[in-house]
Amino acid sequence: RPFWTARITAESQVRVSPGKGEGCWRGEEKSGEGKGFNAAAAAMATAARFLRRTLRASEVASRLLSTSHSIVRRAAYTTGGIIDVGQPTPKSHPELLADEEITPGITSEEYISRRKKLVDALPEKSLAIIASADQQMMTDVVPYSFRQNGDYLYITGCTQPGGVAVLSKETGLCMFMPDKHKEDVVWEGQTAGVEAAVDFFKANKAFPLSEMKKILPEMIEQSKVVYHNAKASTSSYRNFDAFRRASLNNKVKDLTHYTDELRWIKSKSEIKLMRESASIVSQSLLQTMLLSRTHREESQLAAKIEYECKMRGAQRMAFHPVVGGGANGSVVHYSRNDKKIKSGDLVLMDVGCEYHGYLSDLTRTWPPCGRFSAAQEELYSLILETNKECIKLCKPGTSIREIHHHSVKMLISGFQELGIIGKGKSIQYNYLNPTSIGHSLGMDIHDSTSLTSDKPLEPGVVITIEPGIYIPSVPILNEKAPDRFRGIGIRIEDEVLITENGHEVLTASVPKEIPHLTTLMNMGGGGSTTESHEVRAACN
């Protein structure tokens, strides 16, 4: 049976760990840390020796932890003296974070600057309440992988659920942190508390979440306007009488427009993270394209892209990958990924990954067998030309709406030349391409969505350019198209950074020209006869 070790330090930190040998407790005093607690240590050691004679090791652990609850509440689990705040820190993960960084690549100074910019943008006597995302559950005990609300992460740097941040000129940043219970720590691990909010996240004030009902109502009543991130708002404060009264008096407003304005233009550090995110997904998609020559299951390609992204440092996918073979590519947000790609069909893959809070978004369409049919090439050439011409328009002063209008004119003209829509039948265009030419990209896949598409682009803004055509096998929305184009879906999407002098395509390394794609798909496996046979067999 394992025994457990209770370690008590002068800083009132308790460590409980399994060891080798028979069921017992052993109190260890760490050299240099034992002064000032001899009496407490002796008492606990005596209790342990007494309990050891009558209780199993697990019962001893439970009782000793219970009697030490006041100590445990103030303690943080440590490894080699490093405090665990529930997410990477420069001390716990020096390979990820430099000194003074709260999240990889973003310093405490930048987070403090964001808070000041938000407060300065709000009207006088305003209060901003920003809730973290809730933990979503798969079953009653199994959680989904947690992803933080973008606004909460942008302001606090905290990647953990359950907190509420309050910001005003009068108080600065006040963070209400989830109350810590030892049972939660056993099951879920250490999380950030009040101490971490002040010391690590650089909050001006911090309180346990259980005290919010005493403190926040007064802050609400003293404010002229209360802003909150309405989509992520939590009942933990919406049920307060003070919040309800403020809402009835029309004092409660959505904060989204203000945070979207701040997040619209990326800082140098954010651009660096977005470049890396784009690089990861670009390299990963290239490897997946090569695999498609021999592996034709949509599910296999979906697994491959996720594996490659995570092996290169991504924390998760930006969204569920779209892997549409043949007619499945004509479904704009296809997600089933459960079919086999037939010989001669195209495959459309729309993918992105998340790298320390920042997302990428990329789409390529290609023939795994290494050749386009005549009909596929006609449509592909039109979409490619539209993609390239629209990218040329990406520069300061232009808007997404202007670029979209240009893409519509190009595609309508091209569709008419190909006989897909008749002259004067431009309404048919919406059936064939119901999407916009692009969207803003950042901490969310559709970032800063409250801002109008007429907003002029500025240096530091990142957008996508993604023209496409989606022709189902049989008409769904009264689409009219020649039979040779039926069941074809094509999208070509690139991620574009607006610069002082124009733009930079962050996903330019992934081939999209027809000769480049066919060459890639027909490449030999370094002279491997086996791979050549596999490629030929997959195309038959």
Side-chain angles (χ1 to χ4, degrees), residues 285-480:
L285 182 56
L286 186 58
Q287 293 301 313
T288 306
M289 292 169 76
L290 289 171
L291 183 72
S292 73
R293 298 177 305 165
T294 55
H295 293 71
R296 296 300 170 74
E297 296 288 345
E298 293 172 347
S299 59
Q300 293 173 327
L301 302 186
K304 176 68 170 176
I305 188 71
E306 183 166 357
Y307 167 80
E308 293 289 344
C309 284
K310 289 185 176 179
M311 287 298 291
R312 286 174 167 79
Q315 284 68 59
R316 59 176 64 85
M317 302 307 290
F319 49 88
H320 187 68
V322 174
V323 187
N328 293 337
S330 68
V331 180
V332 180
H333 284 169
Y334 177 73
S335 62
R336 287 176 53 178
N337 301 343
D338 61 359
K339 298 291 182 66
K340 185 169 184 175
I341 302 163
K342 298 177 182 177
S343 178
D345 279 349
L346 300 176
V347 60
L348 181 156
M349 283 194 67
D350 187 346
V351 294
C353 70
E354 180 174 336
Y355 182 72
H356 300 305
Y358 290 84
L359 309 182
S360 49
D361 196 2
L362 167 66
T363 306
R364 288 293 185 265
T365 308
W366 70 93
C369 283
R371 56 187 177 273
F372 288 87
S373 70
Q376 290 168 350
E377 186 168 341
E378 285 182 288
L379 290 177
Y380 188 91
S381 297
L382 173 60
I383 301 304
L384 177 62
E385 187 64 21
T386 305
N387 169 274
K388 291 157 66 175
E389 289 300 314
C390 287
I391 287 176
K392 290 178 183 178
L393 297 177
C394 294
K395 59 186 178 182
T398 308
S399 69
I400 293 177
R401 190 182 298 277
E402 289 177 50
I403 300 172
H404 176 72
H405 287 332
H406 183 76
S407 73
V408 171
K409 290 178 182 178
M410 285 192 68
L411 292 174
I412 286 178
S413 176
F415 293 164
Q416 289 174 341
E417 288 182 13
L418 294 173
I420 297 174
I421 60 177
K423 300 293 183 181
K425 300 287 187 181
S426 59
I427 191 171
Q428 287 282 328
Y429 170 84
N430 294 325
Y431 300 145
L432 301 169
N433 186 6
T435 68
S436 171
I437 189 59
H439 53 82
S440 175
L441 184 66
M443 298 179 80
D444 288 315
I445 204 68
H446 283 220
D447 215 45
S448 299
T449 55
S450 71
L451 306 183
T452 173
S453 59
D454 289 318
K455 186 176 177 64
L457 299 176
E458 302 175 65
V461 172
V462 180
I463 65 171
T464 64
I465 294 295
E466 48 182 303
I469 183 169
Y470 313 95
I471 306 176
S473 298
V474 294
I476 298 174
L477 297 174
N478 198 31
E479 312 93 338
K480 293 182 172 29

Side-chain angles (χ1 to χ4, degrees), residues 101 103-107 109-111 114 154 265-276 355-356 358:
E101 288 182 349
T103 55
I106 309 293
T107 64
E109 182 180 2
E110 182 161 340
Y111 277 106
R114 293 172 177 179
Y154 185 81
I265 299 175
K266 275 63 180 177
S267 67
K268 290 181 180 179
S269 54
E270 289 180 296
I271 290 171
K272 185 177 180 180
L273 290 167
M274 294 200 70
R275 274 203 182 97
E276 184 61 25
Y355 182 72
H356 300 305
Y358 290 84

Side-chain angles (χ1 to χ4, degrees), residues 478-540:
N478 198 31
E479 312 93 338
K480 293 182 172 29
D483 289 343
R484 71 181 189 279
F485 295 133
R486 284 288 170 196
I488 297 178
I490 296 171
R491 179 162 66 251
I492 306 172
E493 177 183 21
D494 281 296
E495 189 176 325
V496 183
L497 166 67
I498 308 302
T499 64
E500 293 285 349
N501 301 317
H503 64 265
E504 174 188 347
V505 181
L506 302 182
T507 49
S509 63
V510 187
K512 59 185 178 183
E513 300 287 345
I514 289 177
H516 297 164
L517 290 172
T518 55
T519 298
L520 181 69
M521 291 298 103
N522 287 293
M523 284 175 55
S528 168
T529 303
T530 301
E531 183 170 349
S532 297
H533 286 325
E534 289 177 352
V535 171
R536 286 196 295 271
C539 289
N540 292 329

Side-chain angles (χ1 to χ4, degrees), residues 51-107:
L51 290 170
R52 183 181 60 189
R53 301 188 186 111
T54 56
L55 300 173
R56 297 193 313 272
S58 60
E59 293 172 334
V60 174
S62 175
R63 293 196 182 189
L64 188 54
L65 279 175
S66 178
T67 58
S68 309
H69 183 57
S70 61
I71 296 177
V72 173
R73 286 184 60 191
R74 297 168 49 210
Y77 283 125
T78 63
T79 304
I82 297 173
I83 296 176
D84 185 352
V85 301
Q87 66 185 69
T89 69
K91 289 186 177 180
S92 69
H93 292 71
E95 72 281 6
L96 288 182
L97 291 91
D99 288 343
E100 305 302 322
E101 288 182 349
I102 292 180
T103 55
I106 309 293
T107 64

